[in-house]
Amino acid sequence: MGSYTEIYQLALDKPEEFWAAAADDLVWQKRWDKVLDETNSPFNNWFSGGRINTCYNALDRHVDEGNSSRLALIYDSPVTNVKQKITYLELRNRVASFSGVLRKYGVEYGDRVLIYMPMIPETVIAMLACARIGAIHSVVFGGFASNELAKRIDDAKPKVIVSASCGVEPGRIVEYKPLLDNALKLSNSEPNHCIIFQREMHEAELIEKRDIDWHDAHDRVTSVDCVEVEATDPVYILYTSGTTGIPKGVVRPTAGHLVSLKWSMKSIYDVDPGDVYWAASDVGWVVGHSYIVYAPLFHGCTSILYEGKPVGTPDAGAFWRVISEHQVNCMFTAPTAIRAIKKEDPYGKLVKKYNLKCLRSQFLAGERCDPDTLEWTKNILNVPVIDHWWQTETGWPIASNCLGIEQRDIKPGSPTCAVPGWKIDVLDEFSKPVPTGEIGAISLKLPLPPGSLPTLWQNDERFVESYLTTYPGYYETGDAGIIDEDGYLHILSRTDDIINVAGHRLSTGGMEQVLAEHKDVAECAVLGVNDQLKGQIPLGLIVLKDGINTEHSEIIEDVIKMVRTEIGPVAAFKVATVVKRLPKTRSGKILRGIIQKIADSVDYDMPATIDDPEILNEIKESLQKIGYAKQ
Ligand code: COA
Ligand code: AMP
């Protein structure tokens, strides 16, 4: 293997040769005809003509190669006090059997299955069972409420929905079934059946005929073998926040997903088959799809499925307990989780309780990693701490220190440089690269490498409009930043109104739509303000209709409840205030960026286009009353 620079250059100069070599690491039913197929550009395809199966490469392959008894999954659930170890053979058998269940209830190749589940092995089984028969899964994060779930049901039109009776959050049971029932009432698409996994801490009521108990569903089921699919078929759809309230259905192509993830395990994370890999995220997010479920299994690793939190389950030593108990070699989490631990155990006393010799590296992503958090983690763990940057759309890291190629200097605050396969440019408004060190729109040169989205689910137009239009020849990431004199990338902010709350990506536009539904609200703005723990949290400003005499606190309580009910607790929308008016440009655009700077006490330039500068003082006073805009 060469140096980072050599390998990066090879991937840039000869992408087809580079990715064909990576693809040889998988088991194909039929090799591809063309490595990169640009005939339908900009909807590019990798490995067209090839036939392959995701589940085969995740499970059966390892069984066939003599690794039946290797652990595939370790389920560790401090919230229920359950631990389970599942070998590759057992997981293969359970998946093959659930594929039979899906078939029994009418799911065939190309059909969609929506999965609304907590962090339990059955979720992984359901995902892989879809891939086994060529059905397309769409997992919805458990922290989303009915309305968000309904939007995803409407778009994906699943034939079957797989869910569970409940999730377990510290101190409370989240009943999924009423949320699902309500979502089905709100949606226009009716699945044939819902298969419900009943958990012992709460039993859900089933609706006769439509709902089927997970265990009963297995009656008289025969296991199903892997079905060959086209390399370019979608393996899953994962919805993510866009700038409007309508989520974007990111499509993941089968072969590109397999090839990029398998390659990333050695090249980026430097792990080998048999190693224990832990991504402490949720399967409802892309990190969970890629690095709890798929990549570790493609690579023959043992993956940890952790149903718990970094703190409070039972304490801030939870991560270190899991690492030492299961001999984790490489771990991945979000900076916010580390900040939560650091807050409770600032001197890392709990680390000393455990033997962490097994741990070789700690990766962080999902939001900007502040240098303090990175340094603190490095000091207490004494392993390389790697910030890396990517998004739901790309499916795997765009920029990282690639430990399996060559460890480069770590600069806190930077996710290092482009991973081989990606070409990152920082552009000005005319699509020209800005000079070194200047801020611009971080953009990815087309064509994108394997694994990244070829389009949005049944919405080519939105794909082109959202990502490919502003900077011709590039994919627009929505992030702004700089490339410094050493070629290191720094991610500074978003260019749109997406915010990142505790590593979760949320649309402020979506929250504004909810606030605007309140009968007393004339207009509103939601923006992300700095938060020491979660990175950002949403803050709502509302202007009331004339003549409203209701107590402001009552209205605020209402809108907070509405966001929780309509979007979900994950939005963490807990702060709002009533203002007399909102600052706008003369053309009527709300100056959200300026309000955010005022709230965070950051200097700003008075916009020339503002209709009445005095409003900014009014806003500052209102924000001061709720603890913001302190200077
Ligand atoms: N189902 C139902 N509700 C959920 C949920 C799920 N799967 N996940 C989170 N929630 C709820 C939480 O209970 C919380 O509800 P509350 O308002 O009643 O307290 C709310 O959604 C917000 O959750 P969260 O953002 O997780 O905040 P928290 O205050 O519970 O915990 C941290 C803070 C830092 C411990 C937590 O955010 C964390 O572990 N973050 C890691 C982020 C991560 O893994 N991101 C993935 C990208 S790598
Ligand atoms: P998601 O699609 O939910 O994974 O969110 C992707 C977005 O999270 C990116 O576009 C960034 O805005 C942010 N993000 C993810 N990783 C990082 C990182 N390492 N540094 C800065 N921002 C990040």
mmCIF file with all atom_site columns, all heavy atoms in Angstrom, residues 497-517:
data_model
loop_
_atom_site.group_PDB
_atom_site.id
_atom_site.type_symbol
_atom_site.label_atom_id
_atom_site.label_alt_id
_atom_site.label_comp_id
_atom_site.label_asym_id
_atom_site.label_entity_id
_atom_site.label_seq_id
_atom_site.pdbx_PDB_ins_code
_atom_site.Cartn_x
_atom_site.Cartn_y
_atom_site.Cartn_z
_atom_site.occupancy
_atom_site.B_iso_or_equiv
_atom_site.pdbx_formal_charge
_atom_site.auth_seq_id
_atom_site.auth_comp_id
_atom_site.auth_asym_id
_atom_site.auth_atom_id
_atom_site.pdbx_PDB_model_num
ATOM 1   N N   . ASP A 1 497 ? -30.707 26.434 6.232  1.00 0.00 ? 497 ASP A N   1
ATOM 2   C CA  . ASP A 1 497 ? -31.268 26.522 7.582  1.00 0.00 ? 497 ASP A CA  1
ATOM 3   C C   . ASP A 1 497 ? -31.448 25.151 8.238  1.00 0.00 ? 497 ASP A C   1
ATOM 4   O O   . ASP A 1 497 ? -32.427 24.886 8.911  1.00 0.00 ? 497 ASP A O   1
ATOM 5   C CB  . ASP A 1 497 ? -32.548 27.372 7.617  1.00 0.00 ? 497 ASP A CB  1
ATOM 6   C CG  . ASP A 1 497 ? -33.516 26.985 6.539  1.00 0.00 ? 497 ASP A CG  1
ATOM 7   O OD1 . ASP A 1 497 ? -33.282 25.947 5.915  1.00 0.00 ? 497 ASP A OD1 1
ATOM 8   O OD2 . ASP A 1 497 ? -34.486 27.728 6.306  1.00 0.00 ? 497 ASP A OD2 1
ATOM 9   N N   . ILE A 1 498 ? -30.442 24.323 8.027  1.00 0.00 ? 498 ILE A N   1
ATOM 10  C CA  . ILE A 1 498 ? -30.411 23.051 8.751  1.00 0.00 ? 498 ILE A CA  1
ATOM 11  C C   . ILE A 1 498 ? -29.575 23.269 10.012 1.00 0.00 ? 498 ILE A C   1
ATOM 12  O O   . ILE A 1 498 ? -28.574 23.987 9.980  1.00 0.00 ? 498 ILE A O   1
ATOM 13  C CB  . ILE A 1 498 ? -29.808 21.944 7.863  1.00 0.00 ? 498 ILE A CB  1
ATOM 14  C CG1 . ILE A 1 498 ? -30.888 21.481 6.891  1.00 0.00 ? 498 ILE A CG1 1
ATOM 15  C CG2 . ILE A 1 498 ? -29.280 20.775 8.692  1.00 0.00 ? 498 ILE A CG2 1
ATOM 16  C CD1 . ILE A 1 498 ? -30.472 20.495 5.888  1.00 0.00 ? 498 ILE A CD1 1
ATOM 17  N N   . ILE A 1 499 ? -30.029 22.706 11.127 1.00 0.00 ? 499 ILE A N   1
ATOM 18  C CA  . ILE A 1 499 ? -29.226 22.816 12.341 1.00 0.00 ? 499 ILE A CA  1
ATOM 19  C C   . ILE A 1 499 ? -28.857 21.424 12.836 1.00 0.00 ? 499 ILE A C   1
ATOM 20  O O   . ILE A 1 499 ? -29.477 20.434 12.432 1.00 0.00 ? 499 ILE A O   1
ATOM 21  C CB  . ILE A 1 499 ? -29.939 23.630 13.451 1.00 0.00 ? 499 ILE A CB  1
ATOM 22  C CG1 . ILE A 1 499 ? -31.278 23.002 13.832 1.00 0.00 ? 499 ILE A CG1 1
ATOM 23  C CG2 . ILE A 1 499 ? -30.095 25.072 13.032 1.00 0.00 ? 499 ILE A CG2 1
ATOM 24  C CD1 . ILE A 1 499 ? -31.896 23.630 15.077 1.00 0.00 ? 499 ILE A CD1 1
ATOM 25  N N   . ASN A 1 500 ? -27.866 21.381 13.687 1.00 0.00 ? 500 ASN A N   1
ATOM 26  C CA  . ASN A 1 500 ? -27.364 20.108 14.163 1.00 0.00 ? 500 ASN A CA  1
ATOM 27  C C   . ASN A 1 500 ? -27.470 20.072 15.683 1.00 0.00 ? 500 ASN A C   1
ATOM 28  O O   . ASN A 1 500 ? -26.734 20.751 16.382 1.00 0.00 ? 500 ASN A O   1
ATOM 29  C CB  . ASN A 1 500 ? -25.905 19.994 13.709 1.00 0.00 ? 500 ASN A CB  1
ATOM 30  C CG  . ASN A 1 500 ? -25.434 18.564 13.769 1.00 0.00 ? 500 ASN A CG  1
ATOM 31  O OD1 . ASN A 1 500 ? -25.647 17.894 14.776 1.00 0.00 ? 500 ASN A OD1 1
ATOM 32  N ND2 . ASN A 1 500 ? -24.817 18.099 12.706 1.00 0.00 ? 500 ASN A ND2 1
ATOM 33  N N   . VAL A 1 501 ? -28.437 19.318 16.180 1.00 0.00 ? 501 VAL A N   1
ATOM 34  C CA  . VAL A 1 501 ? -28.722 19.281 17.616 1.00 0.00 ? 501 VAL A CA  1
ATOM 35  C C   . VAL A 1 501 ? -28.266 17.928 18.162 1.00 0.00 ? 501 VAL A C   1
ATOM 36  O O   . VAL A 1 501 ? -28.829 16.896 17.789 1.00 0.00 ? 501 VAL A O   1
ATOM 37  C CB  . VAL A 1 501 ? -30.238 19.480 17.869 1.00 0.00 ? 501 VAL A CB  1
ATOM 38  C CG1 . VAL A 1 501 ? -30.534 19.456 19.367 1.00 0.00 ? 501 VAL A CG1 1
ATOM 39  C CG2 . VAL A 1 501 ? -30.728 20.768 17.246 1.00 0.00 ? 501 VAL A CG2 1
ATOM 40  N N   . ALA A 1 502 ? -27.243 17.934 18.990 1.00 0.00 ? 502 ALA A N   1
ATOM 41  C CA  . ALA A 1 502 ? -26.699 16.696 19.553 1.00 0.00 ? 502 ALA A CA  1
ATOM 42  C C   . ALA A 1 502 ? -26.385 15.673 18.450 1.00 0.00 ? 502 ALA A C   1
ATOM 43  O O   . ALA A 1 502 ? -26.683 14.492 18.586 1.00 0.00 ? 502 ALA A O   1
ATOM 44  C CB  . ALA A 1 502 ? -27.665 16.095 20.582 1.00 0.00 ? 502 ALA A CB  1
ATOM 45  N N   . GLY A 1 503 ? -25.801 16.152 17.348 1.00 0.00 ? 503 GLY A N   1
ATOM 46  C CA  . GLY A 1 503 ? -25.450 15.245 16.256 1.00 0.00 ? 503 GLY A CA  1
ATOM 47  C C   . GLY A 1 503 ? -26.644 14.839 15.407 1.00 0.00 ? 503 GLY A C   1
ATOM 48  O O   . GLY A 1 503 ? -26.503 14.043 14.487 1.00 0.00 ? 503 GLY A O   1
ATOM 49  N N   . HIS A 1 504 ? -27.827 15.379 15.705 1.00 0.00 ? 504 HIS A N   1
ATOM 50  C CA  . HIS A 1 504 ? -29.005 15.055 14.904 1.00 0.00 ? 504 HIS A CA  1
ATOM 51  C C   . HIS A 1 504 ? -29.296 16.223 13.980 1.00 0.00 ? 504 HIS A C   1
ATOM 52  O O   . HIS A 1 504 ? -29.328 17.375 14.393 1.00 0.00 ? 504 HIS A O   1
ATOM 53  C CB  . HIS A 1 504 ? -30.236 14.826 15.785 1.00 0.00 ? 504 HIS A CB  1
ATOM 54  C CG  . HIS A 1 504 ? -30.021 13.872 16.920 1.00 0.00 ? 504 HIS A CG  1
ATOM 55  N ND1 . HIS A 1 504 ? -29.392 12.667 16.770 1.00 0.00 ? 504 HIS A ND1 1
ATOM 56  C CD2 . HIS A 1 504 ? -30.364 13.946 18.228 1.00 0.00 ? 504 HIS A CD2 1
ATOM 57  C CE1 . HIS A 1 504 ? -29.350 12.036 17.935 1.00 0.00 ? 504 HIS A CE1 1
ATOM 58  N NE2 . HIS A 1 504 ? -29.926 12.792 18.840 1.00 0.00 ? 504 HIS A NE2 1
ATOM 59  N N   . ARG A 1 505 ? -29.553 15.898 12.710 1.00 0.00 ? 505 ARG A N   1
ATOM 60  C CA  . ARG A 1 505 ? -29.752 16.942 11.707 1.00 0.00 ? 505 ARG A CA  1
ATOM 61  C C   . ARG A 1 505 ? -31.234 17.296 11.619 1.00 0.00 ? 505 ARG A C   1
ATOM 62  O O   . ARG A 1 505 ? -32.073 16.426 11.397 1.00 0.00 ? 505 ARG A O   1
ATOM 63  C CB  . ARG A 1 505 ? -29.242 16.382 10.395 1.00 0.00 ? 505 ARG A CB  1
ATOM 64  C CG  . ARG A 1 505 ? -29.524 17.190 9.193  1.00 0.00 ? 505 ARG A CG  1
ATOM 65  C CD  . ARG A 1 505 ? -28.714 16.578 8.069  1.00 0.00 ? 505 ARG A CD  1
ATOM 66  N NE  . ARG A 1 505 ? -29.261 16.927 6.801  1.00 0.00 ? 505 ARG A NE  1
ATOM 67  C CZ  . ARG A 1 505 ? -28.739 16.515 5.653  1.00 0.00 ? 505 ARG A CZ  1
ATOM 68  N NH1 . ARG A 1 505 ? -27.689 15.733 5.648  1.00 0.00 ? 505 ARG A NH1 1
ATOM 69  N NH2 . ARG A 1 505 ? -29.280 16.874 4.523  1.00 0.00 ? 505 ARG A NH2 1
ATOM 70  N N   . LEU A 1 506 ? -31.552 18.557 11.783 1.00 0.00 ? 506 LEU A N   1
ATOM 71  C CA  . LEU A 1 506 ? -32.953 18.974 11.832 1.00 0.00 ? 506 LEU A CA  1
ATOM 72  C C   . LEU A 1 506 ? -33.184 20.208 10.979 1.00 0.00 ? 506 LEU A C   1
ATOM 73  O O   . LEU A 1 506 ? -32.284 21.043 10.819 1.00 0.00 ? 506 LEU A O   1
ATOM 74  C CB  . LEU A 1 506 ? -33.348 19.282 13.278 1.00 0.00 ? 506 LEU A CB  1
ATOM 75  C CG  . LEU A 1 506 ? -33.280 18.095 14.245 1.00 0.00 ? 506 LEU A CG  1
ATOM 76  C CD1 . LEU A 1 506 ? -33.244 18.584 15.679 1.00 0.00 ? 506 LEU A CD1 1
ATOM 77  C CD2 . LEU A 1 506 ? -34.459 17.157 14.042 1.00 0.00 ? 506 LEU A CD2 1
ATOM 78  N N   . SER A 1 507 ? -34.402 20.322 10.474 1.00 0.00 ? 507 SER A N   1
ATOM 79  C CA  . SER A 1 507 ? -34.737 21.460 9.626  1.00 0.00 ? 507 SER A CA  1
ATOM 80  C C   . SER A 1 507 ? -35.465 22.514 10.452 1.00 0.00 ? 507 SER A C   1
ATOM 81  O O   . SER A 1 507 ? -36.517 22.233 11.035 1.00 0.00 ? 507 SER A O   1
ATOM 82  C CB  . SER A 1 507 ? -35.622 20.961 8.488  1.00 0.00 ? 507 SER A CB  1
ATOM 83  O OG  . SER A 1 507 ? -36.437 21.988 8.019  1.00 0.00 ? 507 SER A OG  1
ATOM 84  N N   . THR A 1 508 ? -34.914 23.738 10.484 1.00 0.00 ? 508 THR A N   1
ATOM 85  C CA  . THR A 1 508 ? -35.623 24.791 11.217 1.00 0.00 ? 508 THR A CA  1
ATOM 86  C C   . THR A 1 508 ? -36.904 25.158 10.460 1.00 0.00 ? 508 THR A C   1
ATOM 87  O O   . THR A 1 508 ? -37.897 25.533 11.061 1.00 0.00 ? 508 THR A O   1
ATOM 88  C CB  . THR A 1 508 ? -34.754 26.052 11.397 1.00 0.00 ? 508 THR A CB  1
ATOM 89  O OG1 . THR A 1 508 ? -34.252 26.429 10.127 1.00 0.00 ? 508 THR A OG1 1
ATOM 90  C CG2 . THR A 1 508 ? -33.619 25.805 12.357 1.00 0.00 ? 508 THR A CG2 1
ATOM 91  N N   . GLY A 1 509 ? -36.864 25.000 9.132  1.00 0.00 ? 509 GLY A N   1
ATOM 92  C CA  . GLY A 1 509 ? -38.053 25.277 8.320  1.00 0.00 ? 509 GLY A CA  1
ATOM 93  C C   . GLY A 1 509 ? -39.205 24.378 8.752  1.00 0.00 ? 509 GLY A C   1
ATOM 94  O O   . GLY A 1 509 ? -40.363 24.807 8.829  1.00 0.00 ? 509 GLY A O   1
ATOM 95  N N   . GLY A 1 510 ? -38.885 23.115 9.033  1.00 0.00 ? 510 GLY A N   1
ATOM 96  C CA  . GLY A 1 510 ? -39.906 22.163 9.469  1.00 0.00 ? 510 GLY A CA  1
ATOM 97  C C   . GLY A 1 510 ? -40.518 22.600 10.789 1.00 0.00 ? 510 GLY A C   1
ATOM 98  O O   . GLY A 1 510 ? -41.736 22.487 11.000 1.00 0.00 ? 510 GLY A O   1
ATOM 99  N N   . MET A 1 511 ? -39.681 23.125 11.697 1.00 0.00 ? 511 MET A N   1
ATOM 100 C CA  . MET A 1 511 ? -40.212 23.571 13.001 1.00 0.00 ? 511 MET A CA  1
ATOM 101 C C   . MET A 1 511 ? -41.051 24.841 12.809 1.00 0.00 ? 511 MET A C   1
ATOM 102 O O   . MET A 1 511 ? -42.075 25.015 13.464 1.00 0.00 ? 511 MET A O   1
ATOM 103 C CB  . MET A 1 511 ? -39.061 23.834 13.977 1.00 0.00 ? 511 MET A CB  1
ATOM 104 C CG  . MET A 1 511 ? -38.334 22.554 14.339 1.00 0.00 ? 511 MET A CG  1
ATOM 105 S SD  . MET A 1 511 ? -37.126 22.796 15.641 1.00 0.00 ? 511 MET A SD  1
ATOM 106 C CE  . MET A 1 511 ? -35.762 21.883 14.985 1.00 0.00 ? 511 MET A CE  1
ATOM 107 N N   . GLU A 1 512 ? -40.617 25.710 11.915 1.00 0.00 ? 512 GLU A N   1
ATOM 108 C CA  . GLU A 1 512 ? -41.396 26.932 11.667 1.00 0.00 ? 512 GLU A CA  1
ATOM 109 C C   . GLU A 1 512 ? -42.796 26.588 11.162 1.00 0.00 ? 512 GLU A C   1
ATOM 110 O O   . GLU A 1 512 ? -43.777 27.226 11.543 1.00 0.00 ? 512 GLU A O   1
ATOM 111 C CB  . GLU A 1 512 ? -40.680 27.829 10.646 1.00 0.00 ? 512 GLU A CB  1
ATOM 112 C CG  . GLU A 1 512 ? -39.466 28.513 11.243 1.00 0.00 ? 512 GLU A CG  1
ATOM 113 C CD  . GLU A 1 512 ? -38.693 29.375 10.251 1.00 0.00 ? 512 GLU A CD  1
ATOM 114 O OE1 . GLU A 1 512 ? -39.126 29.489 9.091  1.00 0.00 ? 512 GLU A OE1 1
ATOM 115 O OE2 . GLU A 1 512 ? -37.661 29.933 10.648 1.00 0.00 ? 512 GLU A OE2 1
ATOM 116 N N   . GLN A 1 513 ? -42.848 25.554 10.320 1.00 0.00 ? 513 GLN A N   1
ATOM 117 C CA  . GLN A 1 513 ? -44.176 25.157 9.818  1.00 0.00 ? 513 GLN A CA  1
ATOM 118 C C   . GLN A 1 513 ? -45.094 24.759 10.968 1.00 0.00 ? 513 GLN A C   1
ATOM 119 O O   . GLN A 1 513 ? -46.283 25.062 10.964 1.00 0.00 ? 513 GLN A O   1
ATOM 120 C CB  . GLN A 1 513 ? -44.046 23.995 8.844  1.00 0.00 ? 513 GLN A CB  1
ATOM 121 C CG  . GLN A 1 513 ? -43.665 24.447 7.459  1.00 0.00 ? 513 GLN A CG  1
ATOM 122 C CD  . GLN A 1 513 ? -43.398 23.267 6.526  1.00 0.00 ? 513 GLN A CD  1
ATOM 123 O OE1 . GLN A 1 513 ? -43.861 22.165 6.743  1.00 0.00 ? 513 GLN A OE1 1
ATOM 124 N NE2 . GLN A 1 513 ? -42.636 23.534 5.485  1.00 0.00 ? 513 GLN A NE2 1
ATOM 125 N N   . VAL A 1 514 ? -44.538 24.081 11.972 1.00 0.00 ? 514 VAL A N   1
ATOM 126 C CA  . VAL A 1 514 ? -45.350 23.651 13.107 1.00 0.00 ? 514 VAL A CA  1
ATOM 127 C C   . VAL A 1 514 ? -45.795 24.867 13.916 1.00 0.00 ? 514 VAL A C   1
ATOM 128 O O   . VAL A 1 514 ? -46.980 25.020 14.257 1.00 0.00 ? 514 VAL A O   1
ATOM 129 C CB  . VAL A 1 514 ? -44.563 22.654 13.998 1.00 0.00 ? 514 VAL A CB  1
ATOM 130 C CG1 . VAL A 1 514 ? -45.371 22.273 15.225 1.00 0.00 ? 514 VAL A CG1 1
ATOM 131 C CG2 . VAL A 1 514 ? -44.181 21.405 13.205 1.00 0.00 ? 514 VAL A CG2 1
ATOM 132 N N   . LEU A 1 515 ? -44.861 25.767 14.205 1.00 0.00 ? 515 LEU A N   1
ATOM 133 C CA  . LEU A 1 515 ? -45.202 26.962 14.993 1.00 0.00 ? 515 LEU A CA  1
ATOM 134 C C   . LEU A 1 515 ? -46.297 27.780 14.298 1.00 0.00 ? 515 LEU A C   1
ATOM 135 O O   . LEU A 1 515 ? -47.220 28.304 14.939 1.00 0.00 ? 515 LEU A O   1
ATOM 136 C CB  . LEU A 1 515 ? -43.962 27.856 15.172 1.00 0.00 ? 515 LEU A CB  1
ATOM 137 C CG  . LEU A 1 515 ? -43.150 27.688 16.452 1.00 0.00 ? 515 LEU A CG  1
ATOM 138 C CD1 . LEU A 1 515 ? -42.781 26.256 16.720 1.00 0.00 ? 515 LEU A CD1 1
ATOM 139 C CD2 . LEU A 1 515 ? -41.889 28.554 16.422 1.00 0.00 ? 515 LEU A CD2 1
ATOM 140 N N   . ALA A 1 516 ? -46.168 27.864 12.983 1.00 0.00 ? 516 ALA A N   1
ATOM 141 C CA  . ALA A 1 516 ? -47.112 28.692 12.219 1.00 0.00 ? 516 ALA A CA  1
ATOM 142 C C   . ALA A 1 516 ? -48.531 28.129 12.283 1.00 0.00 ? 516 ALA A C   1
ATOM 143 O O   . ALA A 1 516 ? -49.510 28.853 12.019 1.00 0.00 ? 516 ALA A O   1
ATOM 144 C CB  . ALA A 1 516 ? -46.649 28.799 10.772 1.00 0.00 ? 516 ALA A CB  1
ATOM 145 N N   . GLU A 1 517 ? -48.650 26.837 12.640 1.00 0.00 ? 517 GLU A N   1
ATOM 146 C CA  . GLU A 1 517 ? -49.998 26.240 12.728 1.00 0.00 ? 517 GLU A CA  1
ATOM 147 C C   . GLU A 1 517 ? -50.752 26.707 13.971 1.00 0.00 ? 517 GLU A C   1
ATOM 148 O O   . GLU A 1 517 ? -51.951 26.496 14.090 1.00 0.00 ? 517 GLU A O   1
ATOM 149 C CB  . GLU A 1 517 ? -49.877 24.713 12.816 1.00 0.00 ? 517 GLU A CB  1
ATOM 150 C CG  . GLU A 1 517 ? -49.560 24.045 11.501 1.00 0.00 ? 517 GLU A CG  1
ATOM 151 C CD  . GLU A 1 517 ? -49.120 22.595 11.711 1.00 0.00 ? 517 GLU A CD  1
ATOM 152 O OE1 . GLU A 1 517 ? -49.397 22.004 12.777 1.00 0.00 ? 517 GLU A OE1 1
ATOM 153 O OE2 . GLU A 1 517 ? -48.470 22.063 10.797 1.00 0.00 ? 517 GLU A OE2 1
#
